[in-house]
Amino acid sequence: MAKVPAAAVAAGGLIGGYGVARWTKKRQLGGVVLAAAGAAAAQQWRQQAGGKAAGALTAAYVAAFAGSHTLAKKVGAWPAVFGVAGAVALASWVVADRQG
């Protein structure tokens, strides 16, 4: 079975987490989706690129989540989420997925 790239897992976690929180009106449920995808991506990052890279990418994932809130005030919620998800996916591909 083909493995889903960590870039897709991370981007999906950011997009899916926001979507679940918005549509269910339960922020905690969105947080569960965000955290589960982040943990899965971090595990793949560690396997593909090592601990330091995984730590940096995990920090980028958390920063993207936090930064999307500020960015949303300027461009809107969905554009902000898609923008940060794309940035994290690109970083993941450059650092980990491209090698693996």
Side-chain angles (χ1 to χ4, degrees), residues 4-99:
V4 177
V9 173
L14 289 161
I15 295 166
Y18 175 68
V20 166
R22 182 172 178 141
W23 289 315
T24 65
K25 300 192 183 340
K26 296 185 186 312
R27 293 179 66 160
Q28 298 85 352
L29 192 55
V32 169
V33 171
L34 179 80
Q43 182 178 13
Q44 283 185 253
W45 291 329
R46 195 174 313 107
Q47 291 170 349
Q48 294 172 341
K52 286 185 181 182
L57 288 167
T58 300
Y61 183 80
V62 172
F65 165 69
S68 69
H69 293 82
T70 303
L71 185 58
K73 292 175 184 175
K74 297 179 192 264
V75 300
W78 279 113
V81 170
F82 285 130
V84 300
V88 169
L90 178 61
S92 176
W93 180 79
V94 168
V95 174
D97 292 332
R98 166 171 71 156
Q99 300 171 8

